[in-house]
Amino acid sequence: MQRSFTLLYTSLLGICLGSGSSFPSNINIGGLFPNVSHEYEVFRFALSHHQDIPKLVPQVDMVIMGNSFSMTYAFCSQFSKGVYAIIGLYDRKTVNMLMSFCGALHVCFVTPSFPIETANQFVIQLRPELQDALVGVIEHYGWKKFVYMYSSDSGLSVLQKVLDTAAEKNWLVTSVNVESMTGASFLKVFQDLDKWKEGQIIIDCETERLTGILKEIVEQGKNAKSYHYILANLGFLDIDLTDLRKGGANITGFQLVNNSEPSVSRVVQQWMEFDNKDSKMPKTGLKYMGALTYDGVKVMSEAFQYLRKQRIDISRRGNAGECLANPPAPWGQGIDIQRALQQVRIDGLTGHIQFNEKGRRTNYTVSVMELAPSGPKKVGYWNEDEKYVTTASLMKANDTPGVTNRTYIVTTILESPYVMLKKNHEQLIGNDKYEGYIVELAAEIAKHVGYQYKLKIVSDGKYGARDPETKLWNGMVGELVYEKADLAVAPLTITLVREEVIDFSKPFMSLGISIMIKKPTKSKPGVFSFLDPLAYEIWMCIVFAYIGVSVVLFLVSRFSPYEWHAEDYEEGAEPQTPTQAAASNGVQPSQTPTQQNANQQSPEQTNEFGIFNSLWFSLGAFMQQGCDISPRSLSGRIVGGVWWFFTLIIISSYTANLAAFLTVERMVSPIESAEDLAKQTEIAYGTLDAGSTKEFFRRSKIAVFEKMWSYMKSADPSVFVKTTDEGVMRVRKSKGKYAYLLESTMNEYIEQRKPCDTMKVGGNLDSKGYGIATPKRSPLRNPVNLAVLKLNEQGLLDKLKNKWWYDKGECGSGGGDSKDKTSALSLSNVAGVFYILIGGLGLAMLVALVEFCYKSRTESRRMKQSINDAMHCSTLTRMSGNGSGGENGRILTHDFPKTVQTLPCMSHTASMGLGASGM
């Protein structure tokens, strides 16, 4: 009996002890996830795949990321519920708090969040460190200068590694924190990058932030071929790179999940088929953070299965549920769970999973990806043993096949006189359909470089600009950026924004912005254009000088005794009787005999330079005809000498300019420069609505151009035009009230085209050039550049321009030139001279008639005859030539006063006419 009791007691004790040390069949694990997160959905999916004993039972709390209070409350709640381990996420603001709780309470925290430098062994970090792989890729590409954009959440540790390596290898690294940047801040950053010529950029951010940055890059148009981005993120395939690929940017990244593995593909397919009715998120592909979460659940499952097999007691006993106890009471069994988690060796969705003694991933492999035109492709991988290994044969610049091995596509644009269709182009094929400056230039370059080519007209008819909405390049630039053409030979202006995405040769043509106006109507010389060689002020001064000289000559002749001389009888004249002499001298016959004897003994003193003779002398000298009298005194000769010198210079200057003013048809231009345009508002002016000319005025800091831009952008109606043809037509129809600003080469060409009614005024406002464009790193760049330089040195470029601009001009030789042209004199040029001649003759006849009438009336009174008899008698006398001939052909009569009879300032012809008229 006693023995049976002893056996029963022993059996019951063994059962009790065995049950006390048995491993629990359900393991409570905690979960800390943001509300509505991809990681939480994958966590639930992973639990449904791991139903083995012991079964993982979730205790999930939704937390607010970045809120330490929320995270602390959730963690303590999890710990009080007796969870064995916790899986979840942290961020920069909550990571230190979690590290502190895990270390103090010995609770393991499994996380797919960014890895951190910590000595806390209770944190199991599922995500591999990326800094060594990133440095390997940088070294592979040979970068010596680049920009490192990072987020303060995860980028600091990687940045530190990069900076340490940069110090060793003399790299130049510019770091930019993009944690809280706005759109305006990004714009400023990229403007600075353009200034620094930075095109190699590393972006180290979490996926959500990275997506926003890539969107900004596309909006700023920095997704061109000239940029190379390395995305320091392990989910290269999780990012939408469609817009970046359209721009042609070089994109390199890292991929942790190998979707080509059958086991991975199978899980991904199951995930897509997983029906989660409680999910609040739309179904998406399995991202790398979700894959890490899936692997975290698998690691926990493996660890607890190992503990169960080893029969390790992990039960929660004692007062271990108070996380805020002071001092904290660590959980004794926590160290066993931590060791079990670190010892897990499995292959998961993210490759081989293994941890070191610090809880970090080790012995892992990361794929290196590039964005090809066809999509993402694997170009290599990195691991701790082999470092970076290339798996794709990347073509280098010096490995490019020769340029003669293929036919190149040359994009161009239909624009006269650069590229034009021949009249019979429908009967021709290939390059023979076209003619023009660019067609011949492309042929010469191909001949010098030695390649075959095919001309292709750009499909959208544009030169190339970046669309402000889609941020994509159009026109010829777009065809080069997106590799639809190999070369662009066209009037393509070399600009900064274009140079960022394509390469240009040396300029084959220099030009600048110029002003086009309607050619003013030529002003023909007027009737009195012979007065134009001297200004109005000069003519007035000449008149006053003429009067002044005549008066001075009169005065000095009166004061100088040498101008007075005794009156002698004219040679060949009969002596006068005393009565006649007295009558002729105005002495009345009633003079006394004493007075008459005095007059006969003292000859009369005369002075030839009366006021009228002085005027006549000055006029004769000015007309360079001379006069029969001349000054006798020194003072009078001085006056005559300076007047002759004056008239010599004036007449010579007048004659020198007279021919030009009579034979030149002048065009009076209302505008001569940009300053003239800016000073007035009567003549409107504008540019092409979208082009480099408009951008020049928009960005110019020169005061004149700023003033012009201010006017143009506020003008109503708009002064901008959509096409060059529209601008030219507006100039022609504006009647001189619109000026068009365009490139000088096109301005000069249009000036040579019919109807020849436009002209270029002023100089160029800037200086730029046309270049031949190639894609970035094209093998044609250097050969084409050398060919352009050679053609320029040979003078062929100038020869081609003269051929297509001037030799084929439609306005005649120099027809479009704004210079004045000379022509033969016509009647209209000198009509004024004839008018003056006819007027002078008429005036002389009128004066002669007045004199005749006056003298006839005087004679009728003296002779006491009727005026008709006196006029008849005077006519018969003068017509019969009755009169005495005097010196120099003077006609001396006894009926006229002596002062009239002896007018000396008459040439022979003039005196004959005067005698005939009765004077």
Side-chain angles (χ1 to χ4, degrees), residues 822-838:
T822 60
S823 60
L825 283 175
S826 62
L827 180 60
S828 62
N829 297 115
V830 292
V833 180
F834 287 90
Y835 293 158
I836 291 178
L837 176 61
I838 295 172

Side-chain angles (χ1 to χ4, degrees), residues 603-894:
E604 181 181 358
Q605 297 291 318
T606 62
N607 190 326
E608 294 178 336
F609 283 94
I611 188 61
F612 292 106
N613 278 358
S614 297
L615 291 170
W616 183 250
F617 173 82
S618 299
L619 182 61
F622 185 77
M623 296 299 181
Q624 296 187 334
Q625 297 302 310
C627 187
D628 287 343
I629 62 173
S630 62
R632 297 181 180 185
S633 65
L634 178 62
S635 58
R637 290 178 178 180
I638 292 175
V639 173
V642 295
W643 176 244
W644 290 341
F645 176 78
F646 173 81
T647 57
L648 172 66
I649 301 302
I650 292 295
I651 297 303
S652 300
S653 302
Y654 174 81
T655 306
N657 291 330
L658 180 62
F661 277 85
L662 292 180
T663 59
V664 171
E665 295 180 348
R666 296 184 174 272
M667 292 185 296
V668 181
S669 174
I671 296 296
E672 293 293 345
S673 64
E675 288 77 6
D676 293 343
L677 277 179
K679 291 176 183 177
Q680 56 80 50
T681 56
E682 181 180 356
I683 300 176
Y685 49 91
T687 69
L688 198 65
D689 194 18
S692 58
T693 302
K694 183 178 180 180
E695 288 301 313
F696 167 79
F697 284 99
R698 186 200 306 273
R699 299 179 180 182
S700 178
K701 300 300 181 184
I702 300 175
V704 173
F705 300 150
E706 285 183 330
K707 184 177 180 181
M708 294 175 68
W709 171 246
S710 177
Y711 163 78
M712 287 189 286
K713 70 179 181 180
S714 61
D716 186 24
S718 175
V719 293
F720 299 111
V721 295
K722 296 181 179 179
T723 64
T724 299
D725 290 339
E726 181 184 342
V728 174
M729 192 60 60
R730 187 168 177 178
V731 169
R732 287 173 171 165
K733 294 182 177 180
S734 66
K735 298 181 180 180
K737 298 301 181 182
Y738 181 78
Y740 183 47
L741 300 162
L742 74 166
E743 292 172 339
S744 58
T745 50
M746 184 58 63
N747 196 348
E748 294 167 0
Y749 176 74
I750 295 173
E751 192 175 353
Q752 294 289 330
R753 301 296 103 184
K754 290 182 178 179
C756 306
D757 58 351
T758 64
M759 64 181 291
K760 174 187 173 185
V761 294
N764 295 342
L765 308 188
D766 68 343
S767 179
K768 51 191 173 184
Y770 290 151
I772 297 174
T774 59
K776 285 290 186 182
R777 295 180 292 276
S778 170
L780 289 172
R781 179 188 179 185
N782 289 334
V784 168
N785 204 23
L786 294 175
V788 171
L789 292 175
K790 187 174 182 180
L791 293 176
N792 187 33
E793 292 177 356
Q794 293 176 348
L796 186 61
L797 297 180
D798 292 332
K799 183 179 178 181
L800 286 178
K801 183 174 181 181
N802 289 331
K803 174 182 178 181
W804 290 100
W805 263 255
Y806 304 109
D807 296 348
K808 293 181 179 290
E810 298 174 351
C811 298
S813 178
D817 201 349
S818 60
K819 294 181 180 179
D820 302 323
K821 301 184 297 181
T822 60
S823 60
L825 283 175
S826 62
L827 180 60
S828 62
N829 297 115
V830 292
V833 180
F834 287 90
Y835 293 158
I836 291 178
L837 176 61
I838 295 172
L841 295 177
L843 179 62
M845 294 295 292
L846 180 61
V847 171
L849 179 61
V850 171
E851 289 179 340
F852 176 71
C853 293
Y854 174 77
K855 182 58 180 176
S856 298
R857 183 177 180 182
T858 304
E859 286 294 321
S860 67
R861 289 180 179 177
R862 186 175 67 83
M863 302 297 295
K864 297 181 179 181
Q865 295 177 346
S866 65
I867 189 170
N868 291 334
D869 294 340
M871 292 176 65
H872 180 69
C873 180
S874 298
T875 302
L876 291 177
T877 302
R878 284 154 180 76
M879 295 302 294
S880 63
N882 185 19
S884 301
E887 185 182 359
N888 294 328
R890 291 189 182 91
I891 303 299
L892 300 179
T893 66
H894 303 288

Side-chain angles (χ1 to χ4, degrees), residues 396-634:
K396 298 181 181 179
N398 22 348
D399 298 332
T400 306
V403 297
T404 59
N405 293 342
R406 52 175 290 217
T407 299
Y408 288 89
I409 302 298
V410 177
T411 181
T412 187
I413 189 170
L414 282 176
E415 185 81 59
S416 301
Y418 301 100
V419 180
M420 301 173 288
L421 289 170
K422 293 181 179 178
K423 294 181 180 179
N424 59 339
H425 65 91
E426 296 178 353
Q427 303 173 6
L428 303 174
I429 59 173
N431 300 340
D432 296 333
K433 296 188 298 182
Y434 307 105
E435 64 176 354
Y437 177 91
I438 288 297
V439 177
E440 295 190 17
L441 177 62
E444 290 292 336
I445 291 175
K447 182 173 69 174
H448 280 75
V449 177
Y451 63 83
Q452 301 295 323
Y453 72 98
K454 178 183 178 182
L455 288 175
K456 176 189 172 187
I457 304 300
V458 61
S459 57
D460 59 4
K462 297 180 179 179
Y463 287 92
R466 188 167 61 91
D467 189 280
E469 296 181 358
T470 63
K471 308 304 178 183
L472 301 180
W473 285 91
N474 56 24
M476 292 179 287
V477 178
E479 294 199 348
L480 294 177
V481 169
Y482 307 128
E483 300 180 351
K484 296 179 181 179
D486 303 293
L487 206 66
V489 186
L492 194 61
T493 306
I494 302 173
T495 63
L496 173 63
V497 291
R498 290 173 178 168
E499 187 72 49
E500 291 175 348
V501 295
I502 57 178
D503 288 330
F504 279 100
S505 69
K506 298 295 183 183
F508 63 83
M509 184 180 291
S510 297
L511 62 147
I513 298 174
S514 62
I515 304 172
M516 173 191 287
I517 65 172
K518 184 174 177 61
K519 189 178 294 183
T521 303
K522 295 179 180 179
S523 58
K524 293 185 178 181
V527 172
F528 295 99
S529 60
F530 64 87
L531 297 176
D532 293 340
L534 300 181
Y536 171 78
E537 294 83 358
I538 297 179
W539 284 116
M540 294 301 299
C541 290
I542 290 174
V543 170
F544 290 126
Y546 163 69
I547 297 174
V549 168
S550 300
V551 171
V552 171
L553 182 60
F554 168 74
L555 293 177
V556 298
S557 298
R558 288 294 166 181
F559 284 103
S560 175
Y562 298 102
E563 290 295 346
W564 294 90
H565 58 278
E567 176 68 22
D568 296 329
Y569 294 118
E570 296 289 342
E571 184 179 350
E574 295 181 356
Q576 297 176 336
T577 64
T579 304
Q580 292 173 335
S584 64
N585 289 309
V587 179
Q588 299 298 327
S590 58
Q591 287 179 323
T592 64
T594 304
Q595 291 174 332
Q596 293 179 3
N597 292 334
N599 290 336
Q600 290 177 0
Q601 291 176 1
S602 178
E604 181 181 358
Q605 297 291 318
T606 62
N607 190 326
E608 294 178 336
F609 283 94
I611 188 61
F612 292 106
N613 278 358
S614 297
L615 291 170
W616 183 250
F617 173 82
S618 299
L619 182 61
F622 185 77
M623 296 299 181
Q624 296 187 334
Q625 297 302 310
C627 187
D628 287 343
I629 62 173
S630 62
R632 297 181 180 185
S633 65
L634 178 62

Side-chain angles (χ1 to χ4, degrees), residues 248-308:
N250 302 289
I251 309 293
T252 303
F254 302 91
Q255 180 64 25
L256 185 60
V257 179
N258 188 2
N259 291 326
S260 61
E261 288 287 338
S263 58
V264 176
S265 301
R266 184 169 57 253
V267 173
V268 172
Q269 182 64 30
Q270 292 172 352
W271 158 252
M272 297 303 297
E273 296 174 354
F274 178 64
D275 185 14
N276 188 0
K277 297 180 180 180
D278 298 333
S279 176
K280 298 180 182 179
M281 293 183 60
K283 180 68 71 173
T284 60
L286 187 62
K287 300 179 180 180
Y288 91 97
M289 284 291 288
L292 288 171
T293 305
Y294 184 92
D295 286 346
V297 174
K298 188 174 183 179
V299 166
M300 296 174 75
S301 178
E302 290 289 331
F304 284 112
Q305 288 182 20
Y306 169 78
L307 292 172
R308 183 173 182 274

Side-chain angles (χ1 to χ4, degrees), residues 48-68:
S48 67
H49 275 213
H50 297 87
Q51 298 292 332
D52 298 335
I53 303 299
K55 182 180 179 181
L56 302 179
V57 179
Q59 301 289 335
V60 179
D61 282 326
M62 295 301 176
V63 297
I64 301 174
M65 300 303 294
N67 190 325
S68 298

